[in-house]
Amino acid sequence: MRVIVADDSMLLREGLARLLTEAGINVLATVATADAALREVALSLPDVAIVDIRMPPTHTDEGIVAAQEIRRRHPEVGVLVLSQYLQSRYATRLLEEVPERVGYLLKDRVADIAVLGDALRRIADGECVLDPTIVARLVRRRAQGVAEQLTQRELEVLQLMAEGRTNGAIGRRLGLSEKTVEAHVRHIFVKLDLPVSPDDHRRVLAILALLRDGQVTP
Amino acid sequence: MLVRIAVVVAGVVLGVAAVRAAGRSGGLSFAGDPVGAVALLVAGWAVLAGALVLGRRRPTVRTSALLVAVAGTWFVAEWNHAGAGSALGFTLGSALFAASPALVAWTALGYPTGRLESRLDVALVATTLAACLLLGVLPALFFDPRATGCAGCPANLLLIGDDAGLSLRLGRIGLTVAAGALVAVVLAMVWRTVTASAARRRAVLPLTLTGGGFLLLAAVRFLAGRDRGFVGSSPLDRRLWLAQAILLTALGAAVVWSIVRERRARSRIAGLVVRLGHPADPGGLRQSIAQTLADPGLVLGYPVDGGRYVDAAGDPVDTSPGPGRASTPVVLDGTEVAVLVHRPGLSDDALLLAEVAGAARLGLEQEGRRARLRAREHDLRTSRARLVEAGDAERRRLERDVHDGAQQRLIALLLGARTLHLRLARQPGSEATAILDEVSARLGRAVEELRVVAQGIHPAVLSDEGLLAAVDALAEELARPVSVDIGDARYPASVENAAYRVVAEAARCGLSGVVARRRDGALVLDVLASSVPERLVDLEDRVGALDGTLRVREEPGGAVRLRAEIPCG
């Protein structure tokens, strides 16, 4: 696994790089700005670029913009965006444009190497990853509307789907067979009136939209 | 009072006597026939009426006396004929026959107070008086009516020696000089009127027209009499004299009319006083004064500290006059109580402004006090809002510092600890890993705690994403589920901060629901909790500093509802 790290704080940049290296991940370069990140990606073509959302000059959404640029220019390079706190609007923006090979994690999670490593691997495999905390918050917000219609098990499956996991991964998590998970997924889609799509990535979007706004965007 | 009765009686007596004298003049006097008699009497008594009306007010007493003199000399001129009867009468008539124009000139130039304003005026009036008196006196020194063959004529008490030729020559000179002086006076009057302000022109114009006309006619008569050497009695002269009588009547009427108009203005002021007797709402005083002065665009400003002016409601007001307006300070007891910005014509009528200021004195002082209080209230409110904003800014800065400083360092430490942990995990020496585990755990907790502290100081997500995101994040930390119904809308930073504080305080007391809506340009926040927040006063202060309100109500079932309405304008 080859990655680059982009974050304007030197402490975090170097600390994260060291941690990743120790975990056996090859850190090709560390940079401090979005432009430098784009240059490095073009130069070294890593598997995943880890990018902080807030970077100079405005410290608002440079990371998202850089992620979109990277995905546009180099579709085979994945992007993991790190954010200080839940910014669901940015998350959906990221996923709407590039629903593949993209991840959105809270920075709090960065020190947990297990979660970080798992996210990097899933992104490199082409999935999209959403921080479970974000999903949990979204689900809780919409708890009333959605929970009325689904069983507890179906809710769990929905949450894991929203995190971007595959049916197999969901089954392993919940101790179910993949076939059972598929059945649950079909029920959920029918109950919530979601468009059936075999594409894992698209379904994340649909579920996210449902959780955020209470309705499905076509 | 006695003086007035005496003047009236004298006027009547003199008038009647003049008519009788005219009747005996054998056709030489214009007042001998009924029409002339009526003209004589009406003119003289009209002037007397004007004198009586003016005599009531102190400032115009001098003019009043002048007008009495005008009426007197007007009547006395009728004794300038053989039928005068007494020597005294004849002498007076001869000496003073030309005096009335001079006195009218004095009256007109000095109107309304009777005081002459400039040296030029004094010179003109003195010259005219001198000319007219001398015109009567000098020839009379050398004129003996008996010597001209008039046996029944009375004696001339002024006679020095009979010299008809000298008398005529003196008369000619006198007529020319007097006519010139009168024309000069008329020119001065016209000039004054034309260059006066609109208000003054209105006041002086009737007098200028009637008085000026009278003087011009007199000048014409004088000039017409130059050939003869004395003022004659031809039909032309008679017509001129009748015209003079009409103009003199008009003059008296004009004087009376101006006083009537003033009385009406006074009654308007009296009406103002009555209106002011009833307590007016702020701005009512301005309206009353504007109505009284007939100036709807009147601006009334009260002075406050710092050289500013405010209106009755305490709001700043512009008291610089601007084009076409004038400003007048209202000064009572030496201090400036208010400033009026009005149409320019009012400045001339100083009397009216002074009366209005006096009538409105109590109201002005009271409203001025209230206006100053309101202005101070306003200042306090803005300063309070500024303080709250400064506090908010400080908190934001503090949160930034914590985030950029301590938090970063702790996370870096945590990363370091994890790194070390990984490395050690591959090697034997489990005690080290156990110790590291503990260190990592502690660091993790420290990071978490610091994050909570920073969020307590100021949640960055509030500035970045708005109230919904911040309340969501807050609700997430709580044990009980919270229903959150807030739109995506953003509000001004200070409003969002205050609203967030309310929710944050309620979160310590069993928060169960938050609803926020924008309504009528204000944020309406409804928070349900299980008990009243401890620091309710702080919340009220914060919300109040933004001109908002915070109400607490007990709901059935024991819950507590906090409703905050904060204007966003």
Side-chain angles (χ1 to χ4, degrees):
Chain A
M1 170 82 65
R2 299 155 66 247
V3 305
I4 67 160
V5 176
D7 191 315
D8 62 330
S9 154
M10 192 205 69
L11 283 174
L12 282 181
R13 216 164 48 227
E14 300 302 321
L16 189 55
R18 255 206 307 268
L19 180 60
L20 288 168
T21 309
E22 200 55 46
I25 292 168
N26 188 358
V27 178
L28 299 173
T30 60
V31 298
T33 64
D35 289 339
L38 283 165
R39 273 199 304 274
E40 265 311 317
V41 166
L43 271 177
S44 40
L45 289 178
D47 296 316
V48 181
I50 304 176
V51 179
D52 183 11
I53 271 198
R54 289 175 140 203
M55 286 210 274
T58 70
H59 295 277
T60 48
D61 62 350
E62 280 77 5
I64 299 277
V65 171
Q68 288 164 343
E69 256 317 289
I70 293 175
R71 292 295 301 131
R72 206 172 299 145
R73 292 191 202 175
H74 312 279
E76 68 284 9
V77 175
V79 176
L80 174 62
V81 172
L82 298 177
S83 169
Q84 191 67 35
Y85 37 71
L86 167 61
Q87 286 169 297
S88 47
R89 218 164 310 159
Y90 288 162
T92 36
R93 203 167 119 194
L94 187 66
L95 292 172
E96 270 160 10
E97 300 224 4
V98 268
E100 303 168 359
R101 283 194 211 263
V102 163
Y104 192 102
L105 276 189
L106 291 181
K107 255 197 194 171
D108 288 359
R109 226 159 278 300
V110 136
D112 187 341
I113 189 60
V115 167
L116 187 55
D118 176 59
L120 286 171
R121 265 186 297 279
R122 281 168 58 196
I123 291 172
D125 281 345
E127 290 179 29
C128 66
V129 173
L130 209 51
D131 191 310
T133 318
I134 295 179
V135 174
R137 287 180 184 178
L138 283 173
V139 168
R140 201 174 322 176
R141 216 190 275 171
R142 289 287 156 197
Q144 284 88 354
V146 170
E148 281 155 15
Q149 303 167 313
L150 301 178
T151 66
Q152 181 61 27
R153 186 58 104 187
E154 282 166 353
L155 208 52
E156 288 168 357
V157 170
L158 177 70
Q159 197 155 328
L160 290 170
M161 271 202 298
E163 288 177 26
R165 299 183 184 277
T166 61
N167 289 354
I170 295 176
R172 275 194 299 282
R173 249 316 246 291
L174 296 177
L176 301 171
S177 73
E178 202 167 323
K179 280 231 175 317
T180 322
V181 172
E182 279 166 19
H184 281 308
V185 167
R186 270 199 305 276
H187 287 155
I188 291 170
F189 271 63
V190 164
K191 281 191 190 178
L192 297 181
D193 202 15
L194 287 169
V196 174
S197 152
D199 195 328
D200 284 345
H201 317 124
R202 289 284 159 201
R203 78 182 184 185
V204 175
L205 277 180
I207 295 167
L208 264 187
L210 174 71
L211 292 176
R212 247 180 71 86
D213 309 319
Q215 65 201 18
V216 179
T217 49
Chain B
M1 195 58 205
L2 225 54
V3 174
R4 297 167 68 77
I5 297 179
V7 164
V8 170
V9 167
V12 170
V13 165
L14 202 59
V16 169
V19 168
R20 283 175 43 150
R24 291 196 298 266
S25 69
L28 286 177
S29 167
F30 301 127
D33 63 284
V35 172
V38 167
L40 177 79
L41 288 176
V42 167
W45 286 341
V47 171
L48 268 182
L52 287 173
V53 165
L54 279 182
R56 272 226 175 98
R57 298 163 71 231
R58 175 110 35 102
T60 49
V61 156
R62 219 185 237 211
T63 310
S64 167
L66 278 174
L67 284 179
V68 170
V70 166
T73 48
W74 171 254
F75 285 148
V76 158
E78 293 314 307
W79 273 275
N80 184 22
H81 303 289
S86 74
L88 179 66
F90 177 65
T91 310
L92 279 177
S94 310
L96 296 177
F97 82 91
S100 57
L103 290 168
V104 168
W106 189 351
T107 310
L109 277 178
Y111 195 73
T113 53
R115 279 200 162 70
L116 295 168
E117 278 169 38
S118 72
R119 286 230 190 94
L120 178 65
D121 287 355
V122 172
L124 279 174
V125 167
T127 314
T128 314
L129 261 179
C132 291
L133 281 177
L134 292 178
L135 172 59
V137 166
L138 281 182
L141 291 177
F142 304 102
F143 177 63
D144 185 1
R146 296 217 179 104
T148 59
C150 167
C153 288
N156 179 0
L157 296 173
L158 286 176
L159 183 63
I160 296 180
D162 179 43
D163 185 349
L166 180 60
S167 177
L168 285 178
R169 272 204 304 282
L170 287 172
R172 225 173 257 132
I173 297 171
L175 283 172
T176 317
V177 172
L182 287 177
V183 168
V185 167
V186 170
L187 285 176
M189 279 170 59
V190 167
W191 173 250
R192 287 280 154 65
T193 310
V194 161
T195 55
S197 70
R200 180 151 178 82
R201 217 192 339 260
R202 252 200 313 274
V204 169
L205 192 62
L207 209 70
T208 309
L209 289 178
T210 53
F214 182 83
L215 294 179
L216 276 179
L217 288 173
V220 168
R221 281 186 66 197
F222 288 172
L223 289 174
R226 261 191 331 161
D227 298 332
R228 283 191 296 275
F230 58 86
V231 179
S233 320
S234 67
L236 173 67
D237 281 301
R238 181 189 154 81
R239 277 201 283 275
L240 289 174
W241 180 87
L242 273 176
Q244 279 186 299
I246 293 172
L247 282 174
L248 207 59
T249 313
L251 190 139
V255 168
V256 171
W257 166 243
S258 76
I259 299 299
V260 164
R261 228 186 33 170
E262 203 184 284
R263 288 258 175 79
R264 278 225 294 256
R266 273 172 188 273
S267 75
R268 281 217 306 272
I269 291 175
L272 170 66
V273 173
V274 169
R275 268 199 295 279
L276 292 177
H278 306 283
D281 351 276
L285 186 60
R286 185 212 79 87
Q287 211 167 338
S288 296
I289 295 182
Q291 261 174 8
T292 308
L293 294 175
D295 183 3
L298 182 84
V299 171
L300 178 60
Y302 298 99
V304 294
D305 303 329
R308 299 176 291 142
Y309 288 91
V310 298
D311 65 11
D315 299 320
V317 78
D318 183 15
T319 54
S320 52
R325 310 287 292 166
S327 91
T328 306
V330 175
V331 177
L332 296 168
D333 290 341
T335 42
E336 183 187 73
V337 158
V339 154
L340 290 169
V341 180
H342 52 81
R343 58 185 167 84
L346 283 174
S347 314
D348 284 341
D349 206 343
L351 219 58
L352 182 60
L353 268 179
E355 304 249 357
V356 167
R361 170 191 193 129
L362 214 60
L364 282 172
E365 282 175 348
Q366 214 176 28
E367 214 180 58
R369 264 197 295 272
R370 253 182 291 163
R372 270 187 287 280
L373 268 176
R374 287 216 178 89
R376 186 147 347 132
E377 229 176 71
H378 185 80
D379 284 343
L380 278 174
R381 232 173 320 151
T382 40
S383 109
R384 192 159 78 140
R386 267 203 304 272
L387 279 172
V388 166
E389 266 180 49
D392 283 348
E394 260 307 297
R395 285 164 155 243
R396 272 196 293 274
R397 203 185 55 78
L398 198 57
E399 189 271 338
R400 271 284 83 221
D401 285 349
V402 165
H403 171 271
D404 294 345
Q407 256 177 328
Q408 302 279 51
R409 271 178 244 282
L410 279 178
I411 294 180
L413 269 177
L414 189 54
L415 286 170
R418 291 282 164 79
T419 312
L420 199 52
H421 184 270
L422 275 179
R423 177 167 309 185
L424 285 177
R426 281 198 279 281
Q427 300 164 6
S430 53
E431 308 109 30
T433 48
I435 295 171
L436 256 181
D437 258 342
E438 208 190 301
V439 167
S440 302
R442 292 222 184 120
L443 273 175
R445 273 199 297 279
V447 168
E448 181 57 26
E449 275 171 22
L450 196 56
R451 192 178 67 73
V452 172
V453 166
Q455 195 175 9
I457 295 173
H458 174 87
V461 66
L462 179 63
S463 313
D464 289 340
E465 295 248 317
L467 196 58
L468 171 59
V471 170
D472 264 341
L474 186 64
E476 217 228 28
E477 314 271 326
L478 300 176
R480 297 165 51 163
V482 178
S483 84
V484 174
D485 183 10
I486 304 175
D488 264 350
R490 295 296 307 260
Y491 304 87
S494 47
V495 173
E496 282 185 337
N497 280 327
Y500 180 80
R501 285 290 145 206
V502 174
V503 175
E505 278 302 311
R508 297 149 154 254
C509 321
L511 175 71
S512 56
V514 180
V515 175
R517 288 277 178 274
R518 182 192 279 271
R519 209 181 328 148
D520 295 334
L523 166 62
V524 179
L525 180 75
D526 263 301
V527 172
L528 268 175
S530 46
S531 62
V532 177
E534 232 176 68
R535 300 209 283 246
L536 187 60
V537 174
D538 286 351
L539 292 178
E540 282 169 343
D541 272 349
R542 226 171 195 291
V543 169
L546 300 171
D547 280 342
T549 56
L550 179 64
R551 274 187 272 271
V552 178
R553 208 172 43 203
E554 295 253 348
E555 296 278 298
V560 166
R561 177 189 295 276
L562 295 150
R563 170 172 284 222
E565 290 184 27
I566 312 176
C568 304

